[in-house]
Amino acid sequence: KSDSDTYSCDIGDAQSRAKLTVQETPVLFKQELQNEEAKEGKQVRLTCELSKPGTPVKWMKGDTVLYASEKYEFKQHGTVAELIIRDVKSVDA
């Protein structure tokens, strides 16, 4: 997408111009989140894989956006996004 712009070829007395528009491909899930079960007090890792590396991910519990903390850790390596939930409690279900 960042290559979208007007390009030109200049020969001194004349110039030719063209506009390049690059359409982004939509980001899709290659692997969706899977249901997990955990014992209270343990750690859980939720993982999904995206079709495009470096895609920003927003993790949510219900309608609440999660933020990095002692409880929640986010990792992203290429196309794989992970949420680690520490010391799970029944309220985390």
Side-chain angles (χ1 to χ4, degrees):
K1 182 104 178 149
S2 64
D3 290 321
S4 295
D5 206 338
T6 300
Y7 291 83
S8 62
C9 181
D10 192 327
I11 58 170
D13 293 338
Q15 197 175 59
S16 178
R17 291 180 180 224
K19 183 176 180 180
L20 172 63
T21 304
V22 179
Q23 297 176 347
E24 286 187 282
T25 55
V27 178
L28 304 171
F29 286 103
K30 289 173 73 176
Q31 179 185 336
E32 295 194 12
L33 292 172
Q34 301 296 311
N35 293 335
E36 296 286 341
E37 288 187 24
K39 292 191 180 206
E40 200 166 36
K42 297 294 182 182
Q43 176 177 291
V44 173
R45 182 181 308 260
L46 301 175
T47 304
C48 62
E49 186 174 0
L50 311 168
S51 62
K52 193 173 183 179
T55 301
V57 172
K58 176 170 56 173
W59 288 96
M60 301 179 71
K61 178 186 176 205
D63 293 332
T64 304
V65 176
L66 301 178
Y67 296 96
S69 64
E70 287 185 25
K71 179 79 170 173
Y72 303 112
E73 181 181 351
F74 311 122
K75 293 184 178 183
Q76 196 162 351
H77 307 284
T79 59
V80 177
E82 295 179 321
L83 165 62
I84 298 165
I85 306 172
R86 295 186 182 90
D87 189 25
V88 294
K89 308 277 188 227
S90 58
V91 295
D92 293 316

Coordinates of all heavy atoms in Angstrom, one line a residue:
K1 N 0.8 -1.2 0.0 CA 0.0 0.0 0.0 C 0.9 1.3 0.0 O 0.5 2.3 -0.6 CB -0.9 0.0 1.2 CG -1.9 1.1 1.3 CD -3.2 0.8 0.9 CE -4.1 2.0 1.1 NZ -5.2 2.0 0.1
S2 N 2.0 1.2 0.7 CA 2.9 2.4 0.8 C 3.5 2.7 -0.6 O 4.0 3.8 -0.7 CB 4.0 2.2 1.8 OG 4.8 1.1 1.5
D3 N 3.4 1.8 -1.5 CA 4.0 2.1 -2.9 C 3.0 2.9 -3.7 O 3.3 3.4 -4.8 CB 4.3 0.8 -3.6 CG 5.6 0.1 -3.0 OD1 6.5 0.9 -2.6 OD2 5.6 -1.1 -2.9
S4 N 1.7 3.1 -3.3 CA 0.8 3.9 -4.0 C 1.2 5.3 -4.1 O 1.6 5.9 -3.1 CB -0.6 3.8 -3.3 OG -1.1 2.5 -3.3
D5 N 1.3 5.8 -5.3 CA 1.7 7.2 -5.5 C 1.7 7.5 -7.0 O 1.3 6.7 -7.8 CB 3.2 7.4 -5.0 CG 3.4 8.9 -4.6 OD1 2.7 9.8 -5.1 OD2 4.4 9.1 -3.8
T6 N 2.1 8.7 -7.4 CA 2.3 9.1 -8.8 C 3.7 8.9 -9.1 O 4.6 9.4 -8.5 CB 1.8 10.5 -9.0 OG1 0.4 10.7 -8.6 CG2 2.0 10.9 -10.5
Y7 N 4.0 8.2 -10.2 CA 5.3 8.0 -10.7 C 5.5 8.7 -12.0 O 4.5 8.9 -12.8 CB 5.6 6.5 -10.9 CG 5.6 5.7 -9.6 CD1 4.5 5.3 -9.0 CD2 6.9 5.4 -9.0 CE1 4.5 4.6 -7.8 CE2 6.9 4.7 -7.8 CZ 5.7 4.3 -7.2 OH 5.8 3.6 -6.0
S8 N 6.7 9.1 -12.3 CA 6.9 9.8 -13.6 C 8.3 9.4 -14.2 O 9.2 8.9 -13.5 CB 6.9 11.4 -13.3 OG 8.0 11.7 -12.5
C9 N 8.3 9.6 -15.5 CA 9.5 9.4 -16.3 C 9.8 10.7 -17.0 O 9.0 11.2 -17.8 CB 9.2 8.3 -17.3 SG 10.7 7.9 -18.4
D10 N 11.0 11.2 -16.7 CA 11.3 12.6 -17.1 C 12.5 12.5 -18.1 O 13.5 11.9 -17.8 CB 11.7 13.4 -15.9 CG 11.8 14.9 -16.3 OD1 12.2 15.2 -17.4 OD2 11.5 15.7 -15.4
I11 N 12.3 13.0 -19.3 CA 13.4 13.1 -20.4 C 13.8 14.5 -20.7 O 14.4 14.7 -21.7 CB 12.9 12.3 -21.6 CG1 11.7 13.0 -22.2 CG2 12.7 10.8 -21.4 CD1 11.3 12.4 -23.6
G12 N 13.6 15.4 -19.7 CA 14.1 16.8 -19.9 C 13.0 17.6 -20.5 O 12.4 18.5 -19.8
D13 N 12.7 17.5 -21.8 CA 11.6 18.4 -22.4 C 10.2 17.8 -22.2 O 9.3 18.5 -22.5 CB 11.9 18.5 -23.9 CG 13.2 19.3 -24.1 OD1 13.6 20.1 -23.2 OD2 13.8 19.2 -25.2
A14 N 10.1 16.6 -21.8 CA 8.8 15.9 -21.7 C 8.8 15.0 -20.5 O 9.8 14.6 -20.0 CB 8.5 15.1 -23.0
Q15 N 7.6 14.7 -20.0 CA 7.4 13.9 -18.9 C 6.2 13.1 -19.0 O 5.2 13.5 -19.6 CB 7.3 14.8 -17.6 CG 7.5 14.1 -16.3 CD 7.4 15.1 -15.2 OE1 6.4 15.8 -15.0 NE2 8.5 15.2 -14.4
S16 N 6.2 11.8 -18.6 CA 5.1 10.9 -18.6 C 4.8 10.5 -17.2 O 5.7 10.3 -16.4 CB 5.4 9.7 -19.4 OG 4.3 8.8 -19.4
R17 N 3.5 10.5 -16.8 CA 3.1 10.2 -15.4 C 2.1 9.1 -15.4 O 1.3 9.0 -16.3 CB 2.5 11.5 -14.7 CG 3.5 12.6 -14.5 CD 2.8 13.8 -13.9 NE 3.8 14.8 -13.6 CZ 3.9 15.5 -12.5 NH1 3.0 15.3 -11.6 NH2 4.8 16.4 -12.4
A18 N 2.1 8.4 -14.3 CA 1.1 7.3 -14.1 C 0.9 7.3 -12.6 O 1.8 7.5 -11.7 CB 1.6 6.0 -14.6
K19 N -0.3 7.0 -12.2 CA -0.7 6.8 -10.8 C -0.8 5.3 -10.5 O -1.5 4.6 -11.2 CB -2.0 7.5 -10.5 CG -2.5 7.4 -9.1 CD -3.7 8.2 -8.8 CE -4.1 8.1 -7.3 NZ -5.3 8.9 -7.0
L20 N -0.1 4.9 -9.5 CA -0.2 3.5 -9.0 C -1.0 3.4 -7.7 O -0.7 4.1 -6.8 CB 1.2 2.9 -8.8 CG 1.3 1.5 -8.1 CD1 0.7 0.5 -9.0 CD2 2.7 1.2 -7.7
T21 N -2.1 2.6 -7.8 CA -2.9 2.3 -6.6 C -2.8 0.9 -6.2 O -3.1 0.0 -7.0 CB -4.4 2.7 -6.9 OG1 -4.4 4.0 -7.3 CG2 -5.2 2.5 -5.6
V22 N -2.3 0.6 -5.0 CA -2.1 -0.8 -4.6 C -3.2 -1.1 -3.6 O -3.4 -0.4 -2.6 CB -0.7 -1.0 -3.9 CG1 -0.6 -2.4 -3.4 CG2 0.4 -0.6 -4.8
Q23 N -4.0 -2.1 -3.9 CA -5.1 -2.6 -3.0 C -4.6 -3.6 -2.1 O -4.0 -4.6 -2.5 CB -6.2 -3.1 -3.9 CG -6.9 -2.1 -4.8 CD -7.9 -2.7 -5.7 OE1 -8.1 -3.9 -5.8 NE2 -8.7 -1.8 -6.3
E24 N -4.8 -3.3 -0.8 CA -4.3 -4.3 0.2 C -5.2 -5.5 0.2 O -6.4 -5.4 0.1 CB -4.4 -3.6 1.6 CG -3.3 -2.6 1.9 CD -3.3 -2.1 3.3 OE1 -4.1 -1.3 3.6 OE2 -2.4 -2.6 4.1
T25 N -4.6 -6.7 0.4 CA -5.3 -7.9 0.6 C -5.8 -8.0 2.0 O -5.1 -7.5 3.0 CB -4.5 -9.1 0.3 OG1 -3.3 -9.1 1.1 CG2 -4.0 -9.2 -1.2
P26 N -7.0 -8.4 2.2 CA -7.6 -8.5 3.6 C -6.8 -9.5 4.5 O -6.3 -10.5 4.0 CB -9.0 -8.9 3.4 CG -9.0 -9.6 2.1 CD -8.0 -9.0 1.3
V27 N -6.7 -9.2 5.7 CA -6.1 -10.1 6.7 C -7.1 -11.1 7.1 O -8.3 -10.8 7.5 CB -5.6 -9.4 7.9 CG1 -5.0 -10.3 8.9 CG2 -4.6 -8.3 7.5
L28 N -6.8 -12.4 7.0 CA -7.6 -13.5 7.4 C -7.0 -14.4 8.5 O -5.8 -14.3 8.6 CB -7.9 -14.4 6.2 CG -8.5 -13.7 4.9 CD1 -8.6 -14.6 3.7 CD2 -9.9 -13.1 5.3
F29 N -7.8 -15.2 9.1 CA -7.2 -16.1 10.1 C -6.9 -17.4 9.4 O -7.7 -18.0 8.7 CB -8.3 -16.5 11.2 CG -8.5 -15.4 12.2 CD1 -9.6 -14.5 12.1 CD2 -7.5 -15.2 13.2 CE1 -9.7 -13.5 13.0 CE2 -7.7 -14.1 14.1 CZ -8.8 -13.3 14.0
K30 N -5.6 -17.8 9.4 CA -5.1 -19.1 8.9 C -5.4 -20.2 9.9 O -5.7 -21.3 9.6 CB -3.6 -19.0 8.6 CG -3.3 -18.2 7.4 CD -1.8 -18.0 7.2 CE -1.1 -19.3 6.7 NZ 0.3 -19.0 6.4
Q31 N -5.4 -19.8 11.2 CA -5.7 -20.7 12.3 C -6.4 -19.9 13.3 O -5.9 -18.9 13.8 CB -4.5 -21.4 12.9 CG -4.8 -22.3 14.1 CD -3.6 -22.9 14.7 OE1 -2.5 -22.9 14.1 NE2 -3.7 -23.2 16.0
E32 N -7.6 -20.2 13.7 CA -8.4 -19.5 14.6 C -8.1 -19.9 16.1 O -7.5 -21.0 16.3 CB -9.9 -19.6 14.3 CG -10.3 -19.0 13.0 CD -11.8 -18.8 12.8 OE1 -12.5 -19.0 13.8 OE2 -12.2 -18.5 11.7
L33 N -8.6 -19.2 17.0 CA -8.4 -19.5 18.4 C -9.1 -20.9 18.7 O -10.2 -21.1 18.1 CB -9.0 -18.5 19.4 CG -8.3 -17.1 19.4 CD1 -9.1 -16.1 20.2 CD2 -6.9 -17.3 20.0
Q34 N -8.6 -21.6 19.6 CA -9.2 -22.9 20.0 C -9.7 -22.8 21.5 O -9.0 -22.2 22.3 CB -8.2 -24.1 19.8 CG -7.7 -24.2 18.4 CD -8.8 -24.6 17.4 OE1 -9.6 -25.5 17.7 NE2 -8.8 -23.9 16.3
N35 N -10.8 -23.5 21.8 CA -11.2 -23.6 23.2 C -10.1 -24.2 24.0 O -9.5 -25.2 23.6 CB -12.5 -24.3 23.3 CG -13.7 -23.6 22.6 OD1 -13.7 -22.4 22.5 ND2 -14.7 -24.4 22.2
E36 N -10.0 -23.8 25.3 CA -9.0 -24.3 26.2 C -9.7 -24.6 27.5 O -10.7 -23.9 27.9 CB -7.9 -23.3 26.4 CG -7.0 -23.0 25.2 CD -6.1 -24.2 24.8 OE1 -5.8 -25.0 25.7 OE2 -5.7 -24.2 23.6
E37 N -9.1 -25.5 28.3 CA -9.5 -25.7 29.7 C -8.3 -25.7 30.5 O -7.2 -26.1 30.1 CB -10.2 -27.1 29.8 CG -11.6 -27.2 29.2 CD -12.2 -28.5 29.5 OE1 -11.9 -29.2 30.6 OE2 -13.1 -28.9 28.8
A38 N -8.4 -25.1 31.7 CA -7.2 -25.0 32.6 C -7.6 -25.1 34.0 O -8.8 -24.8 34.4 CB -6.5 -23.7 32.4
K39 N -6.7 -25.6 34.9 CA -7.0 -25.6 36.3 C -6.7 -24.3 36.9 O -5.7 -23.6 36.4 CB -6.1 -26.7 37.0 CG -6.5 -28.1 36.5 CD -5.8 -29.1 37.4 CE -6.3 -30.5 36.9 NZ -6.2 -31.5 37.9
E40 N -7.4 -23.9 37.9 CA -7.2 -22.6 38.6 C -5.8 -22.5 39.1 O -5.2 -23.5 39.5 CB -8.2 -22.5 39.8 CG -8.4 -21.1 40.3 CD -9.6 -21.1 41.2 OE1 -9.8 -22.0 42.0 OE2 -10.4 -20.1 41.1
G41 N -5.2 -21.3 38.9 CA -3.9 -21.0 39.3 C -2.8 -21.3 38.2 O -1.7 -20.9 38.4
K42 N -3.2 -22.0 37.2 CA -2.3 -22.3 36.1 C -2.2 -21.2 35.1 O -2.9 -20.2 35.2 CB -2.7 -23.6 35.4 CG -2.7 -24.8 36.3 CD -1.2 -25.1 36.7 CE -1.2 -26.4 37.6 NZ 0.1 -26.7 38.0
Q43 N -1.4 -21.4 34.0 CA -1.3 -20.4 32.9 C -1.9 -21.0 31.7 O -1.8 -22.2 31.4 CB 0.2 -20.2 32.7 CG 0.6 -19.3 31.6 CD 2.0 -19.0 31.5 OE1 2.6 -18.4 32.3 NE2 2.7 -19.6 30.5
V44 N -2.5 -20.1 30.9 CA -3.1 -20.6 29.6 C -2.5 -19.7 28.5 O -2.3 -18.5 28.6 CB -4.7 -20.4 29.6 CG1 -5.3 -20.6 28.3 CG2 -5.3 -21.2 30.7
R45 N -2.3 -20.4 27.3 CA -1.8 -19.7 26.1 C -2.9 -19.9 25.0 O -3.2 -21.0 24.6 CB -0.5 -20.3 25.8 CG 0.2 -19.7 24.6 CD 1.5 -20.4 24.2 NE 2.3 -20.5 25.4 CZ 3.4 -19.7 25.7 NH1 3.7 -18.7 24.9 NH2 4.1 -19.9 26.7
L46 N -3.4 -18.7 24.5 CA -4.3 -18.8 23.4 C -3.5 -18.3 22.2 O -2.9 -17.2 22.2 CB -5.5 -17.9 23.7 CG -6.4 -18.2 24.9 CD1 -7.5 -17.2 25.1 CD2 -7.0 -19.6 24.7
T47 N -3.6 -19.0 21.1 CA -2.8 -18.7 19.9 C -3.7 -18.7 18.6 O -4.6 -19.5 18.5 CB -1.8 -19.8 19.7 OG1 -1.0 -19.8 20.9 CG2 -0.9 -19.4 18.5
C48 N -3.5 -17.7 17.8 CA -4.1 -17.7 16.4 C -3.0 -17.3 15.4 O -2.0 -16.7 15.7 CB -5.3 -16.7 16.4 SG -4.9 -15.0 16.7
E49 N -3.3 -17.7 14.2 CA -2.4 -17.4 13.1 C -3.1 -16.6 12.0 O -4.2 -16.9 11.6 CB -1.8 -18.7 12.5 CG -0.7 -18.4 11.5 CD 0.0 -19.6 10.9 OE1 -0.3 -20.7 11.3 OE2 0.9 -19.4 10.1
L50 N -2.4 -15.5 11.6 CA -3.0 -14.6 10.6 C -2.4 -14.8 9.3 O -1.3 -15.4 9.1 CB -2.7 -13.1 11.1 CG -3.1 -12.9 12.5 CD1 -2.6 -11.5 13.0 CD2 -4.6 -13.0 12.7
S51 N -3.0 -14.3 8.2 CA -2.5 -14.4 6.9 C -1.4 -13.4 6.5 O -0.7 -13.5 5.5 CB -3.6 -14.3 5.8 OG -4.2 -13.1 5.9
K52 N -1.2 -12.4 7.4 CA -0.3 -11.3 7.0 C 0.6 -11.0 8.3 O 0.0 -10.7 9.3 CB -1.1 -10.1 6.6 CG -0.3 -9.0 6.0 CD -1.2 -8.0 5.4 CE -0.5 -6.9 4.7 NZ -1.4 -5.9 4.2
P53 N 1.9 -11.1 8.2 CA 2.7 -10.8 9.4 C 2.6 -9.4 9.8 O 2.4 -8.5 9.0 CB 4.1 -11.2 8.9 CG 4.1 -11.1 7.4 CD 2.7 -11.4 7.0
G54 N 2.8 -9.2 11.1 CA 2.9 -7.8 11.6 C 1.5 -7.1 11.7 O 1.5 -5.9 12.0
T55 N 0.4 -7.8 11.5 CA -0.9 -7.2 11.6 C -1.2 -6.9 13.1 O -1.0 -7.7 14.0 CB -2.0 -8.2 11.1 OG1 -1.7 -8.5 9.8 CG2 -3.4 -7.6 11.2
P56 N -1.6 -5.7 13.4 CA -2.0 -5.3 14.8 C -3.1 -6.2 15.3 O -4.1 -6.4 14.5 CB -2.4 -3.8 14.7 CG -1.8 -3.3 13.4 CD -1.8 -4.5 12.5
V57 N -3.0 -6.6 16.5 CA -4.0 -7.5 17.1 C -4.6 -6.8 18.3 O -3.8 -6.3 19.1 CB -3.5 -8.9 17.4 CG1 -4.4 -9.7 18.2 CG2 -3.0 -9.6 16.1
K58 N -5.9 -6.9 18.5 CA -6.5 -6.4 19.8 C -7.1 -7.6 20.5 O -8.0 -8.2 19.9 CB -7.5 -5.3 19.4 CG -8.3 -4.8 20.6 CD -9.2 -3.6 20.4 CE -10.2 -3.8 19.3 NZ -11.1 -2.7 19.1
W59 N -6.7 -7.9 21.7 CA -7.2 -9.0 22.4 C -8.3 -8.5 23.3 O -8.2 -7.4 23.9 CB -6.1 -9.6 23.3 CG -5.1 -10.4 22.5 CD1 -3.9 -9.9 22.0 CD2 -5.3 -11.7 22.1 NE1 -3.3 -10.9 21.3 CE2 -4.1 -12.1 21.3 CE3 -6.2 -12.7 22.2 CZ2 -3.9 -13.3 20.8 CZ3 -6.0 -13.9 21.6 CH2 -4.9 -14.2 20.9
M60 N -9.4 -9.2 23.4 CA -10.6 -8.9 24.2 C -11.1 -10.0 25.0 O -11.0 -11.2 24.5 CB -11.7 -8.3 23.2 CG -11.2 -7.1 22.4 SD -12.5 -6.5 21.3 CE -13.7 -5.8 22.5
K61 N -11.7 -9.7 26.1 CA -12.5 -10.7 26.9 C -13.9 -10.2 26.9 O -14.2 -9.2 27.5 CB -12.0 -10.8 28.3 CG -12.8 -11.8 29.1 CD -12.3 -11.8 30.6 CE -13.3 -12.7 31.3 NZ -13.3 -12.4 32.7
G62 N -14.8 -10.9 26.1 CA -16.1 -10.3 25.9 C -16.0 -9.0 25.2 O -15.4 -9.0 24.1
D63 N -16.5 -8.0 25.7 CA -16.5 -6.6 25.1 C -15.3 -5.8 25.7 O -15.2 -4.6 25.3 CB -17.8 -5.9 25.3 CG -18.9 -6.5 24.5 OD1 -18.7 -7.2 23.5 OD2 -20.1 -6.4 25.0
T64 N -14.6 -6.3 26.6 CA -13.5 -5.6 27.3 C -12.2 -5.8 26.6 O -11.7 -6.9 26.4 CB -13.4 -6.0 28.8 OG1 -14.7 -5.9 29.4 CG2 -12.4 -5.2 29.5
V65 N -11.5 -4.7 26.2 CA -10.2 -4.7 25.6 C -9.2 -5.1 26.7 O -9.2 -4.5 27.8 CB -9.8 -3.4 25.0 CG1 -8.4 -3.4 24.4 CG2 -10.8 -3.1 23.8
L66 N -8.3 -6.0 26.4 CA -7.3 -6.4 27.4 C -6.0 -5.6 27.1 O -5.6 -5.3 26.0 CB -6.9 -7.9 27.3 CG -8.1 -8.8 27.5 CD1 -7.7 -10.3 27.3 CD2 -8.7 -8.6 28.9
Y67 N -5.3 -5.3 28.2 CA -4.0 -4.6 28.2 C -2.9 -5.4 28.8 O -3.2 -6.1 29.8 CB -4.1 -3.2 28.8 CG -5.1 -2.3 28.1 CD1 -6.4 -2.2 28.5 CD2 -4.7 -1.6 27.0 CE1 -7.3 -1.4 27.8 CE2 -5.6 -0.8 26.3 CZ -6.9 -0.7 26.7 OH -7.8 0.1 26.0
A68 N -1.7 -5.3 28.4 CA -0.6 -6.0 29.0 C -0.5 -5.6 30.5 O -0.6 -4.5 30.9 CB 0.7 -5.7 28.3
S69 N -0.3 -6.7 31.3 CA -0.2 -6.5 32.7 C 0.5 -7.7 33.3 O 0.9 -8.6 32.6 CB -1.6 -6.3 33.3 OG -2.3 -7.5 33.1
E70 N 0.5 -7.8 34.6 CA 1.0 -9.1 35.3 C 0.1 -10.2 34.9 O 0.6 -11.4 34.9 CB 1.1 -8.9 36.8 CG 2.2 -8.0 37.3 CD 2.3 -7.9 38.8 OE1 1.9 -8.9 39.4 OE2 2.8 -6.9 39.3
K71 N -1.2 -10.0 34.7 CA -2.1 -11.0 34.3 C -2.0 -11.4 32.9 O -2.1 -12.6 32.5 CB -3.5 -10.5 34.6 CG -4.7 -11.4 34.3 CD -4.8 -12.5 35.4 CE -6.1 -13.2 35.3 NZ -6.1 -14.3 36.2
Y72 N -1.9 -10.5 32.0 CA -2.0 -10.7 30.5 C -0.7 -10.4 29.8 O -0.1 -9.3 30.0 CB -3.1 -9.9 29.8 CG -4.5 -10.2 30.4 CD1 -5.1 -9.2 31.1 CD2 -5.1 -11.4 30.3 CE1 -6.4 -9.4 31.7 CE2 -6.4 -11.6 30.8 CZ -7.0 -10.6 31.5 OH -8.2 -10.9 32.0
E73 N -0.2 -11.3 29.0 CA 1.0 -11.0 28.2 C 0.7 -11.3 26.7 O 0.0 -12.3 26.4 CB 2.2 -11.9 28.6 CG 3.4 -11.7 27.9 CD 4.6 -12.6 28.3 OE1 4.4 -13.3 29.3 OE2 5.6 -12.6 27.6
F74 N 1.1 -10.4 25.9 CA 0.8 -10.5 24.4 C 2.2 -10.8 23.7 O 3.2 -10.1 24.0 CB 0.2 -9.3 23.8 CG -1.0 -8.8 24.6 CD1 -1.0 -7.5 25.1 CD2 -2.1 -9.6 24.9 CE1 -2.1 -7.0 25.8 CE2 -3.2 -9.1 25.6 CZ -3.2 -7.8 26.1
K75 N 2.2 -11.7 22.8 CA 3.3 -11.9 21.9 C 2.9 -12.0 20.5 O 1.8 -12.5 20.2 CB 4.0 -13.3 22.3 CG 4.7 -13.2 23.7 CD 5.4 -14.5 24.0 CE 6.1 -14.5 25.3 NZ 6.9 -15.7 25.5
Q76 N 3.8 -11.6 19.6 CA 3.5 -11.7 18.2 C 4.8 -12.0 17.4 O 5.7 -11.2 17.5 CB 2.8 -10.4 17.7 CG 2.1 -10.7 16.3 CD 1.1 -9.6 16.0 OE1 0.7 -8.8 16.9 NE2 0.6 -9.6 14.8
H77 N 4.8 -13.1 16.8 CA 6.0 -13.5 16.0 C 5.5 -13.8 14.6 O 4.8 -14.8 14.3 CB 6.6 -14.8 16.6 CG 6.9 -14.7 18.0 ND1 8.0 -14.0 18.5 CD2 6.3 -15.2 19.1 CE1 8.0 -14.1 19.8 NE2 7.0 -14.8 20.2
G78 N 5.8 -12.9 13.7 CA 5.4 -13.1 12.3 C 3.9 -13.1 12.2 O 3.2 -12.1 12.5
T79 N 3.3 -14.2 11.8 CA 1.9 -14.3 11.6 C 1.2 -14.9 12.8 O 0.0 -15.0 12.8 CB 1.6 -15.2 10.4 OG1 2.1 -16.5 10.6 CG2 2.1 -14.6 9.1
V80 N 1.9 -15.3 13.9 CA 1.3 -15.9 15.0 C 1.2 -14.9 16.2 O 2.1 -14.2 16.6 CB 2.2 -17.1 15.5 CG1 1.6 -17.7 16.8 CG2 2.3 -18.2 14.4
A81 N -0.1 -14.8 16.7 CA -0.4 -13.9 17.8 C -0.7 -14.8 19.0 O -1.5 -15.8 18.9 CB -1.5 -13.0 17.5
E82 N -0.2 -14.4 20.2 CA -0.5 -15.2 21.4 C -0.9 -14.3 22.5 O -0.4 -13.2 22.7 CB 0.8 -15.9 21.9 CG 1.3 -17.0 21.0 CD 2.6 -17.6 21.5 OE1 3.4 -16.9 22.1 OE2 2.7 -18.8 21.4
L83 N -1.8 -14.9 23.3 CA -2.3 -14.2 24.6 C -1.9 -15.2 25.7 O -2.4 -16.4 25.6 CB -3.8 -13.9 24.6 CG -4.4 -13.6 25.9 CD1 -3.8 -12.4 26.6 CD2 -5.9 -13.5 25.8
I84 N -1.2 -14.8 26.7 CA -0.9 -15.6 27.8 C -1.6 -15.1 29.0 O -1.5 -13.9 29.3 CB 0.7 -15.7 28.1 CG1 1.4 -16.3 26.9 CG2 1.0 -16.5 29.4 CD1 2.9 -16.0 26.9
I85 N -2.4 -15.9 29.7 CA -3.2 -15.5 30.8 C -2.5 -16.2 32.0 O -2.5 -17.5 32.1 CB -4.7 -15.9 30.7 CG1 -5.2 -15.3 29.4 CG2 -5.4 -15.3 31.9 CD1 -6.7 -15.7 29.1
R86 N -2.0 -15.5 33.0 CA -1.4 -16.1 34.2 C -2.4 -16.2 35.3 O -3.3 -15.4 35.5 CB -0.2 -15.2 34.6 CG 0.9 -15.2 33.6 CD 2.1 -14.4 34.1 NE 3.1 -14.3 33.2 CZ 3.3 -13.3 32.3 NH1 2.4 -12.3 32.3 NH2 4.2 -13.2 31.4
D87 N -2.1 -17.2 36.1 CA -2.9 -17.4 37.4 C -4.4 -17.4 37.1 O -5.1 -16.6 37.7 CB -2.4 -16.4 38.4 CG -3.0 -16.7 39.8 OD1 -3.3 -17.9 40.1 OD2 -3.2 -15.8 40.6
V88 N -4.8 -18.3 36.2 CA -6.3 -18.2 35.8 C -7.2 -18.5 37.0 O -6.9 -19.3 37.9 CB -6.6 -19.2 34.7 CG1 -5.9 -18.8 33.4 CG2 -6.3 -20.6 35.0
K89 N -8.3 -17.8 37.0 CA -9.3 -17.9 38.1 C -10.6 -18.2 37.3 O -10.7 -18.1 36.1 CB -9.5 -16.6 38.9 CG -8.2 -16.1 39.4 CD -7.9 -16.8 40.7 CE -6.8 -16.1 41.4 NZ -5.7 -17.0 41.9
S90 N -11.7 -18.6 38.0 CA -13.0 -18.9 37.4 C -13.5 -17.7 36.7 O -14.2 -17.9 35.7 CB -14.0 -19.5 38.5 OG -14.1 -18.5 39.5
V91 N -13.2 -16.5 37.1 CA -13.7 -15.3 36.5 C -13.1 -15.1 35.1 O -13.5 -14.3 34.3 CB -13.5 -14.0 37.3 CG1 -14.4 -14.1 38.6 CG2 -12.1 -13.8 37.6
D92 N -12.0 -15.8 34.8 CA -11.3 -15.7 33.5 C -12.0 -16.5 32.4 O -11.7 -16.3 31.3 CB -9.9 -16.1 33.6 CG -9.0 -15.2 34.5 OD1 -9.2 -14.0 34.4 OD2 -8.3 -15.7 35.3
A93 N -12.9 -17.3 32.8 CA -13.6 -18.2 31.8 C -14.5 -17.3 30.9 O -15.0 -16.3 31.3 CB -14.5 -19.2 32.5

